[in-house]
Amino acid sequence: MNWQAKSLPHTEQPMKLSYYPGCSLHGTAIEFDVSTREVCKHLGVELVELDDWNCCGATAAHSLNRDLAAAASARNLAIASRRGMPLAVPCAACYHALKKTDYEMRHDADLADRIRTEFGIDYPGGVDVRHIMHVFADDEMLAAIRQKVTRPLEGLKFGCYYGCLIVRPPEAMGNIDDPENPQKMETILNACGAETVDWSYKTDCCGGAFALGRPATAMKLIAKIFDNAIKSGIEAIAVACPLCHANLDGRQPEASEILGREVNMPIFYFTELMGVAMGLAPVKKILGKHLTSVQPALEKLS
Amino acid sequence: MAFIDEIESINSELVAKCFQCQRCSCGCPIVDEMDYAPHQIMRMILLDQRDKVLDSNTIWLCVSCETCSTRCPNDIDIAGVMDACRQIAIEEGRKPAEERIYKFYNTFLKRVEAGGRINEPMLVAMFKLATKDFFSDMRLGMKMGLKGKLKLLSPKVKDRAAIKRMFAQTLHKK
Ligand code: SF4
Ligand code: SF4
């Protein structure tokens, strides 16, 4: 299988995309928002925030009611379709909900019909929903990234952690990356001069949806991920999801207790690492917001 | 209506194609905490064991990681089946086997209904009220507060009628 994202039209100057930040990026994942916007600006990609977007409903909506989940995402997609630009989404959970709903609306005529008649949302499907990682992982963009790197990320071994929602289920997610061993994040970090390590837990669930509902279970999953990362020689983890970040960054004391060894692993959004490699000051400024300090890691990089 | 038809009326999932290879259960990250493994749930649905499935903790402990749906050789959307089971259980007023997980989803959706978007500190506060669990994660909350991660106000959706309608047509539908 050839896992390849369709190339974005590069003719437009600058490239313009609709942008769906989602609730977390306006809150606890502010670093992901700032670094995404800064890196895009630096690469000449213009992000236009979707007007009056609503919460995608996340795991809660589809867990309790399928039509509610579809309607919540379809409303955003309908707004995006009126704009006529691809929709870029950094949050893995929002990306998953929007992309999956687009897929379902194209493949389930009954659902699309219900969403129109019962919710007044006319969306037959068709918006090009892109995770922000897939915007960057395209050949021309990677070349542009290489040109902008002023401080290659040398000196640390990185593990790319994808979690569940960007790659699964592959068909609804557009068959863009291998669901068992995805590589797009690696290509981006490699373009930034980083060494990336192969490891087994990059798509294992961190229990993000259980962070509050059943924390003990989430912590067990987190501990397993750290165990495998440490055994693989990983010194810093890159993520692309606010829930993964909150879980991996915030639960290291508990993971240490479970594993019986100290876990002290810097967790970066991959966009932050791009910003560091490009020497973007506003990105460096927000790195202090992480709960597990990334300072020692940054020192090793310089 | 047979249980499998009820499930397929919410989401068509081809449960009847399951040949019990157990690939779903082998990759499930939560399987060791579940009353029944995912492949057992598939079989129980085919055998019309409605109460056993709907009262099991499995349908609530499924965290929607979609590993099973990705790997099933028969393209069964097992995660979607779990969704449908939760939906049926709630619609008929069953007590969820994992009450805290249900309360989290429910609190989350109430916050979406209230403003169209989630404000995280508000979500946590409301969840603590719902579960009367005020002291867990104090350490984490304090750290986040000190790092300036907790924004107490966030903008709401302007088209509130659209949000109201979503809930009126689904969770509040009689
Ligand atoms: S992977 Fe599919 S076919 Fe195999 S047991 Fe699970 S549901 Fe049945
Ligand atoms: S989606 Fe649910 S049942 Fe399937 S592997 Fe994940 S937790 Fe297990």
mmCIF file of all heavy atoms in Angstrom, chain B residues 7-45:
data_model
loop_
_atom_site.group_PDB
_atom_site.id
_atom_site.type_symbol
_atom_site.label_atom_id
_atom_site.label_comp_id
_atom_site.label_asym_id
_atom_site.label_seq_id
_atom_site.Cartn_x
_atom_site.Cartn_y
_atom_site.Cartn_z
ATOM 1 N N ILE B 7 -29.042 -2.795 16.775
ATOM 2 C CA ILE B 7 -27.715 -2.218 16.634
ATOM 3 C C ILE B 7 -27.500 -1.717 15.212
ATOM 4 O O ILE B 7 -27.034 -0.605 14.991
ATOM 5 C CB ILE B 7 -26.636 -3.250 17.029
ATOM 6 C CG1 ILE B 7 -26.682 -3.441 18.542
ATOM 7 C CG2 ILE B 7 -25.243 -2.812 16.580
ATOM 8 C CD1 ILE B 7 -25.798 -4.514 19.062
ATOM 9 N N GLU B 8 -27.925 -2.513 14.256
ATOM 10 C CA GLU B 8 -27.704 -2.109 12.868
ATOM 11 C C GLU B 8 -28.600 -0.958 12.445
ATOM 12 O O GLU B 8 -28.307 -0.267 11.468
ATOM 13 C CB GLU B 8 -27.830 -3.326 11.949
ATOM 14 C CG GLU B 8 -26.672 -4.280 12.251
ATOM 15 C CD GLU B 8 -26.434 -5.363 11.219
ATOM 16 O OE1 GLU B 8 -27.335 -5.627 10.408
ATOM 17 O OE2 GLU B 8 -25.334 -5.945 11.246
ATOM 18 N N SER B 9 -29.679 -0.706 13.191
ATOM 19 C CA SER B 9 -30.506 0.452 12.850
ATOM 20 C C SER B 9 -29.797 1.749 13.264
ATOM 21 O O SER B 9 -30.075 2.819 12.736
ATOM 22 C CB SER B 9 -31.881 0.360 13.513
ATOM 23 O OG SER B 9 -31.754 0.637 14.900
ATOM 24 N N ILE B 10 -28.866 1.674 14.204
ATOM 25 C CA ILE B 10 -28.083 2.856 14.584
ATOM 26 C C ILE B 10 -26.884 3.003 13.667
ATOM 27 O O ILE B 10 -26.535 4.088 13.228
ATOM 28 C CB ILE B 10 -27.635 2.749 16.059
ATOM 29 C CG1 ILE B 10 -28.872 2.765 16.972
ATOM 30 C CG2 ILE B 10 -26.695 3.900 16.429
ATOM 31 C CD1 ILE B 10 -28.563 2.533 18.425
ATOM 32 N N ASN B 11 -26.242 1.890 13.363
ATOM 33 C CA ASN B 11 -25.021 1.942 12.574
ATOM 34 C C ASN B 11 -24.851 0.557 11.949
ATOM 35 O O ASN B 11 -24.801 -0.425 12.661
ATOM 36 C CB ASN B 11 -23.850 2.253 13.522
ATOM 37 C CG ASN B 11 -22.664 2.796 12.785
ATOM 38 O OD1 ASN B 11 -22.575 2.703 11.567
ATOM 39 N ND2 ASN B 11 -21.744 3.373 13.526
ATOM 40 N N SER B 12 -24.769 0.476 10.651
ATOM 41 C CA SER B 12 -24.696 -0.867 10.065
ATOM 42 C C SER B 12 -23.277 -1.392 10.188
ATOM 43 O O SER B 12 -22.332 -0.795 9.719
ATOM 44 C CB SER B 12 -25.138 -0.858 8.608
ATOM 45 O OG SER B 12 -24.308 -0.033 7.861
ATOM 46 N N GLU B 13 -23.145 -2.503 10.869
ATOM 47 C CA GLU B 13 -21.808 -2.959 11.220
ATOM 48 C C GLU B 13 -21.456 -4.399 10.867
ATOM 49 O O GLU B 13 -20.397 -4.860 11.223
ATOM 50 C CB GLU B 13 -21.555 -2.769 12.716
ATOM 51 C CG GLU B 13 -21.170 -1.349 13.060
ATOM 52 C CD GLU B 13 -22.241 -0.696 13.895
ATOM 53 O OE1 GLU B 13 -23.263 -1.353 14.136
ATOM 54 O OE2 GLU B 13 -22.059 0.463 14.280
ATOM 55 N N LEU B 14 -22.335 -5.117 10.208
ATOM 56 C CA LEU B 14 -21.989 -6.449 9.708
ATOM 57 C C LEU B 14 -21.576 -7.431 10.795
ATOM 58 O O LEU B 14 -20.722 -8.286 10.566
ATOM 59 C CB LEU B 14 -20.833 -6.359 8.701
ATOM 60 C CG LEU B 14 -20.812 -5.223 7.689
ATOM 61 C CD1 LEU B 14 -19.409 -5.097 7.069
ATOM 62 C CD2 LEU B 14 -21.834 -5.456 6.594
ATOM 63 N N VAL B 15 -22.167 -7.320 11.994
ATOM 64 C CA VAL B 15 -21.762 -8.195 13.095
ATOM 65 C C VAL B 15 -21.877 -9.672 12.703
ATOM 66 O O VAL B 15 -21.064 -10.500 13.122
ATOM 67 C CB VAL B 15 -22.625 -7.920 14.358
ATOM 68 C CG1 VAL B 15 -22.226 -8.846 15.486
ATOM 69 C CG2 VAL B 15 -22.469 -6.465 14.783
ATOM 70 N N ALA B 16 -22.848 -9.983 11.868
ATOM 71 C CA ALA B 16 -23.094 -11.385 11.506
ATOM 72 C C ALA B 16 -21.890 -12.015 10.805
ATOM 73 O O ALA B 16 -21.793 -13.235 10.726
ATOM 74 C CB ALA B 16 -24.334 -11.479 10.621
ATOM 75 N N LYS B 17 -20.986 -11.207 10.289
ATOM 76 C CA LYS B 17 -19.825 -11.776 9.603
ATOM 77 C C LYS B 17 -18.722 -12.241 10.551
ATOM 78 O O LYS B 17 -17.736 -12.839 10.122
ATOM 79 C CB LYS B 17 -19.233 -10.750 8.630
ATOM 80 C CG LYS B 17 -20.104 -10.541 7.397
ATOM 81 C CD LYS B 17 -19.591 -9.417 6.533
ATOM 82 C CE LYS B 17 -18.415 -9.854 5.672
ATOM 83 N NZ LYS B 17 -17.922 -8.713 4.864
ATOM 84 N N CYS B 18 -18.874 -11.970 11.833
ATOM 85 C CA CYS B 18 -17.817 -12.317 12.783
ATOM 86 C C CYS B 18 -17.572 -13.824 12.815
ATOM 87 O O CYS B 18 -18.501 -14.604 12.998
ATOM 88 C CB CYS B 18 -18.192 -11.841 14.189
ATOM 89 S SG CYS B 18 -17.043 -12.416 15.455
ATOM 90 N N PHE B 19 -16.326 -14.255 12.617
ATOM 91 C CA PHE B 19 -16.025 -15.691 12.716
ATOM 92 C C PHE B 19 -15.124 -15.995 13.917
ATOM 93 O O PHE B 19 -14.388 -16.968 13.943
ATOM 94 C CB PHE B 19 -15.495 -16.281 11.412
ATOM 95 C CG PHE B 19 -14.361 -15.542 10.739
ATOM 96 C CD1 PHE B 19 -13.417 -14.843 11.466
ATOM 97 C CD2 PHE B 19 -14.229 -15.598 9.358
ATOM 98 C CE1 PHE B 19 -12.366 -14.189 10.828
ATOM 99 C CE2 PHE B 19 -13.171 -14.946 8.715
ATOM 100 C CZ PHE B 19 -12.238 -14.236 9.458
ATOM 101 N N GLN B 20 -15.178 -15.110 14.925
ATOM 102 C CA GLN B 20 -14.539 -15.394 16.215
ATOM 103 C C GLN B 20 -13.028 -15.645 16.119
ATOM 104 O O GLN B 20 -12.497 -16.533 16.783
ATOM 105 C CB GLN B 20 -15.244 -16.586 16.895
ATOM 106 C CG GLN B 20 -16.657 -16.263 17.335
ATOM 107 C CD GLN B 20 -16.689 -15.266 18.479
ATOM 108 O OE1 GLN B 20 -16.210 -15.529 19.574
ATOM 109 N NE2 GLN B 20 -17.230 -14.089 18.220
ATOM 110 N N CYS B 21 -12.345 -14.857 15.321
ATOM 111 C CA CYS B 21 -10.893 -15.015 15.223
ATOM 112 C C CYS B 21 -10.180 -14.387 16.422
ATOM 113 O O CYS B 21 -9.009 -14.631 16.661
ATOM 114 C CB CYS B 21 -10.390 -14.397 13.931
ATOM 115 S SG CYS B 21 -10.511 -12.595 13.908
ATOM 116 N N GLN B 22 -10.879 -13.510 17.136
ATOM 117 C CA GLN B 22 -10.366 -12.859 18.356
ATOM 118 C C GLN B 22 -9.292 -11.808 18.105
ATOM 119 O O GLN B 22 -8.614 -11.369 19.032
ATOM 120 C CB GLN B 22 -9.838 -13.888 19.365
ATOM 121 C CG GLN B 22 -10.846 -14.977 19.637
ATOM 122 C CD GLN B 22 -10.497 -15.825 20.838
ATOM 123 O OE1 GLN B 22 -9.645 -15.471 21.644
ATOM 124 N NE2 GLN B 22 -11.168 -16.932 20.982
ATOM 125 N N ARG B 23 -9.114 -11.434 16.867
ATOM 126 C CA ARG B 23 -8.107 -10.420 16.595
ATOM 127 C C ARG B 23 -8.453 -9.109 17.311
ATOM 128 O O ARG B 23 -7.576 -8.396 17.794
ATOM 129 C CB ARG B 23 -8.054 -10.189 15.091
ATOM 130 C CG ARG B 23 -6.700 -9.781 14.634
ATOM 131 C CD ARG B 23 -6.641 -9.829 13.123
ATOM 132 N NE ARG B 23 -5.495 -9.051 12.679
ATOM 133 C CZ ARG B 23 -5.252 -8.762 11.429
ATOM 134 N NH1 ARG B 23 -6.066 -9.169 10.490
ATOM 135 N NH2 ARG B 23 -4.195 -8.054 11.115
ATOM 136 N N CYS B 24 -9.744 -8.787 17.374
ATOM 137 C CA CYS B 24 -10.181 -7.566 18.053
ATOM 138 C C CYS B 24 -9.729 -7.576 19.517
ATOM 139 O O CYS B 24 -9.151 -6.601 20.015
ATOM 140 C CB CYS B 24 -11.696 -7.418 17.962
ATOM 141 S SG CYS B 24 -12.619 -8.892 18.410
ATOM 142 N N SER B 25 -9.968 -8.684 20.184
ATOM 143 C CA SER B 25 -9.665 -8.761 21.613
ATOM 144 C C SER B 25 -8.160 -8.770 21.877
ATOM 145 O O SER B 25 -7.692 -8.231 22.878
ATOM 146 C CB SER B 25 -10.311 -9.998 22.230
ATOM 147 O OG SER B 25 -11.701 -9.950 22.002
ATOM 148 N N CYS B 26 -7.392 -9.389 20.965
ATOM 149 C CA CYS B 26 -5.942 -9.448 21.158
ATOM 150 C C CYS B 26 -5.318 -8.057 21.174
ATOM 151 O O CYS B 26 -4.329 -7.822 21.859
ATOM 152 C CB CYS B 26 -5.289 -10.271 20.054
ATOM 153 S SG CYS B 26 -5.669 -12.007 20.206
ATOM 154 N N GLY B 27 -5.882 -7.131 20.414
ATOM 155 C CA GLY B 27 -5.272 -5.796 20.338
ATOM 156 C C GLY B 27 -5.924 -4.783 21.252
ATOM 157 O O GLY B 27 -5.483 -3.638 21.317
ATOM 158 N N CYS B 28 -6.964 -5.199 21.963
ATOM 159 C CA CYS B 28 -7.705 -4.228 22.782
ATOM 160 C C CYS B 28 -6.897 -3.850 24.028
ATOM 161 O O CYS B 28 -6.523 -4.724 24.811
ATOM 162 C CB CYS B 28 -9.056 -4.811 23.193
ATOM 163 S SG CYS B 28 -9.971 -3.736 24.319
ATOM 164 N N PRO B 29 -6.626 -2.562 24.233
ATOM 165 C CA PRO B 29 -5.790 -2.167 25.364
ATOM 166 C C PRO B 29 -6.469 -2.328 26.724
ATOM 167 O O PRO B 29 -5.804 -2.301 27.750
ATOM 168 C CB PRO B 29 -5.493 -0.689 25.082
ATOM 169 C CG PRO B 29 -6.612 -0.228 24.227
ATOM 170 C CD PRO B 29 -7.014 -1.412 23.395
ATOM 171 N N ILE B 30 -7.789 -2.496 26.726
ATOM 172 C CA ILE B 30 -8.522 -2.528 27.998
ATOM 173 C C ILE B 30 -9.053 -3.922 28.304
ATOM 174 O O ILE B 30 -9.746 -4.128 29.287
ATOM 175 C CB ILE B 30 -9.721 -1.547 27.959
ATOM 176 C CG1 ILE B 30 -9.417 -0.303 27.148
ATOM 177 C CG2 ILE B 30 -10.190 -1.182 29.363
ATOM 178 C CD1 ILE B 30 -8.799 0.836 27.893
ATOM 179 N N VAL B 31 -8.786 -4.885 27.438
ATOM 180 C CA VAL B 31 -9.506 -6.158 27.513
ATOM 181 C C VAL B 31 -9.418 -6.831 28.890
ATOM 182 O O VAL B 31 -10.373 -7.438 29.360
ATOM 183 C CB VAL B 31 -9.026 -7.114 26.382
ATOM 184 C CG1 VAL B 31 -7.598 -7.559 26.593
ATOM 185 C CG2 VAL B 31 -9.944 -8.303 26.248
ATOM 186 N N ASP B 32 -8.272 -6.672 29.579
ATOM 187 C CA ASP B 32 -8.142 -7.382 30.860
ATOM 188 C C ASP B 32 -9.005 -6.794 31.964
ATOM 189 O O ASP B 32 -9.135 -7.397 33.030
ATOM 190 C CB ASP B 32 -6.657 -7.480 31.290
ATOM 191 C CG ASP B 32 -5.984 -6.131 31.351
ATOM 192 O OD1 ASP B 32 -6.596 -5.145 30.881
ATOM 193 O OD2 ASP B 32 -4.852 -6.046 31.869
ATOM 194 N N GLU B 33 -9.626 -5.648 31.731
ATOM 195 C CA GLU B 33 -10.529 -5.101 32.749
ATOM 196 C C GLU B 33 -11.992 -5.347 32.405
ATOM 197 O O GLU B 33 -12.890 -4.972 33.145
ATOM 198 C CB GLU B 33 -10.280 -3.595 32.910
ATOM 199 C CG GLU B 33 -8.884 -3.288 33.451
ATOM 200 C CD GLU B 33 -8.669 -1.794 33.690
ATOM 201 O OE1 GLU B 33 -9.601 -1.112 34.147
ATOM 202 O OE2 GLU B 33 -7.559 -1.325 33.391
ATOM 203 N N MET B 34 -12.237 -5.949 31.246
ATOM 204 C CA MET B 34 -13.614 -6.084 30.764
ATOM 205 C C MET B 34 -14.289 -7.370 31.256
ATOM 206 O O MET B 34 -13.644 -8.413 31.353
ATOM 207 C CB MET B 34 -13.618 -6.095 29.225
ATOM 208 C CG MET B 34 -13.267 -4.752 28.591
ATOM 209 S SD MET B 34 -13.072 -4.924 26.794
ATOM 210 C CE MET B 34 -13.057 -3.178 26.310
ATOM 211 N N ASP B 35 -15.611 -7.296 31.509
ATOM 212 C CA ASP B 35 -16.390 -8.493 31.839
ATOM 213 C C ASP B 35 -16.302 -9.517 30.707
ATOM 214 O O ASP B 35 -16.134 -10.708 30.934
ATOM 215 C CB ASP B 35 -17.882 -8.131 32.007
ATOM 216 C CG ASP B 35 -18.146 -7.301 33.242
ATOM 217 O OD1 ASP B 35 -17.312 -7.348 34.161
ATOM 218 O OD2 ASP B 35 -19.179 -6.609 33.284
ATOM 219 N N TYR B 36 -16.509 -9.034 29.494
ATOM 220 C CA TYR B 36 -16.420 -9.894 28.309
ATOM 221 C C TYR B 36 -15.507 -9.210 27.305
ATOM 222 O O TYR B 36 -15.561 -7.989 27.148
ATOM 223 C CB TYR B 36 -17.797 -10.091 27.660
ATOM 224 C CG TYR B 36 -18.863 -10.521 28.632
ATOM 225 C CD1 TYR B 36 -19.826 -9.616 29.070
ATOM 226 C CD2 TYR B 36 -18.907 -11.829 29.107
ATOM 227 C CE1 TYR B 36 -20.799 -9.995 29.975
ATOM 228 C CE2 TYR B 36 -19.887 -12.214 30.015
ATOM 229 C CZ TYR B 36 -20.825 -11.287 30.453
ATOM 230 O OH TYR B 36 -21.783 -11.664 31.352
ATOM 231 N N ALA B 37 -14.690 -10.005 26.623
ATOM 232 C CA ALA B 37 -13.808 -9.433 25.605
ATOM 233 C C ALA B 37 -14.643 -9.018 24.389
ATOM 234 O O ALA B 37 -15.748 -9.518 24.202
ATOM 235 C CB ALA B 37 -12.758 -10.470 25.210
ATOM 236 N N PRO B 38 -14.117 -8.113 23.569
ATOM 237 C CA PRO B 38 -14.887 -7.643 22.409
ATOM 238 C C PRO B 38 -15.431 -8.772 21.519
ATOM 239 O O PRO B 38 -16.593 -8.724 21.102
ATOM 240 C CB PRO B 38 -13.876 -6.773 21.656
ATOM 241 C CG PRO B 38 -12.984 -6.246 22.730
ATOM 242 C CD PRO B 38 -12.868 -7.341 23.744
ATOM 243 N N HIS B 39 -14.622 -9.814 21.244
ATOM 244 C CA HIS B 39 -15.143 -10.871 20.372
ATOM 245 C C HIS B 39 -16.301 -11.619 21.029
ATOM 246 O O HIS B 39 -17.213 -12.094 20.358
ATOM 247 C CB HIS B 39 -14.026 -11.857 19.975
ATOM 248 C CG HIS B 39 -13.613 -12.803 21.061
ATOM 249 N ND1 HIS B 39 -12.755 -12.425 22.086
ATOM 250 C CD2 HIS B 39 -13.961 -14.090 21.321
ATOM 251 C CE1 HIS B 39 -12.581 -13.457 22.907
ATOM 252 N NE2 HIS B 39 -13.307 -14.472 22.466
ATOM 253 N N GLN B 40 -16.269 -11.689 22.367
ATOM 254 C CA GLN B 40 -17.388 -12.326 23.071
ATOM 255 C C GLN B 40 -18.653 -11.483 22.938
ATOM 256 O O GLN B 40 -19.749 -12.011 22.770
ATOM 257 C CB GLN B 40 -17.039 -12.526 24.552
ATOM 258 C CG GLN B 40 -15.951 -13.570 24.768
ATOM 259 C CD GLN B 40 -15.562 -13.673 26.234
ATOM 260 O OE1 GLN B 40 -15.140 -12.703 26.845
ATOM 261 N NE2 GLN B 40 -15.700 -14.873 26.798
ATOM 262 N N ILE B 41 -18.485 -10.169 23.005
ATOM 263 C CA ILE B 41 -19.644 -9.287 22.838
ATOM 264 C C ILE B 41 -20.271 -9.516 21.455
ATOM 265 O O ILE B 41 -21.498 -9.594 21.316
ATOM 266 C CB ILE B 41 -19.225 -7.800 23.018
ATOM 267 C CG1 ILE B 41 -18.794 -7.531 24.473
ATOM 268 C CG2 ILE B 41 -20.348 -6.851 22.586
ATOM 269 C CD1 ILE B 41 -19.911 -7.428 25.487
ATOM 270 N N MET B 42 -19.425 -9.655 20.443
ATOM 271 C CA MET B 42 -19.951 -9.888 19.087
ATOM 272 C C MET B 42 -20.797 -11.166 19.057
ATOM 273 O O MET B 42 -21.882 -11.198 18.497
ATOM 274 C CB MET B 42 -18.811 -10.024 18.066
ATOM 275 C CG MET B 42 -17.939 -8.789 17.889
ATOM 276 S SD MET B 42 -18.854 -7.293 17.461
ATOM 277 C CE MET B 42 -18.491 -6.304 18.910
ATOM 278 N N ARG B 43 -20.288 -12.204 19.687
ATOM 279 C CA ARG B 43 -21.014 -13.482 19.713
ATOM 280 C C ARG B 43 -22.316 -13.352 20.504
ATOM 281 O O ARG B 43 -23.360 -13.864 20.112
ATOM 282 C CB ARG B 43 -20.108 -14.548 20.355
ATOM 283 C CG ARG B 43 -20.617 -15.948 20.213
ATOM 284 C CD ARG B 43 -20.399 -16.472 18.806
ATOM 285 N NE ARG B 43 -21.136 -17.712 18.577
ATOM 286 C CZ ARG B 43 -21.816 -17.974 17.473
ATOM 287 N NH1 ARG B 43 -21.867 -17.101 16.497
ATOM 288 N NH2 ARG B 43 -22.447 -19.125 17.328
ATOM 289 N N MET B 44 -22.239 -12.652 21.620
ATOM 290 C CA MET B 44 -23.428 -12.494 22.463
ATOM 291 C C MET B 44 -24.517 -11.712 21.737
ATOM 292 O O MET B 44 -25.712 -11.972 21.915
ATOM 293 C CB MET B 44 -23.040 -11.794 23.772
ATOM 294 C CG MET B 44 -22.239 -12.729 24.707
ATOM 295 S SD MET B 44 -21.200 -11.825 25.884
ATOM 296 C CE MET B 44 -22.415 -11.139 26.956
ATOM 297 N N ILE B 45 -24.100 -10.774 20.908
ATOM 298 C CA ILE B 45 -25.096 -10.019 20.141
ATOM 299 C C ILE B 45 -25.810 -10.962 19.176
ATOM 300 O O ILE B 45 -27.036 -10.953 19.057
ATOM 301 C CB ILE B 45 -24.422 -8.848 19.382
ATOM 302 C CG1 ILE B 45 -23.947 -7.787 20.383
ATOM 303 C CG2 ILE B 45 -25.382 -8.231 18.361
ATOM 304 C CD1 ILE B 45 -23.063 -6.714 19.787
#
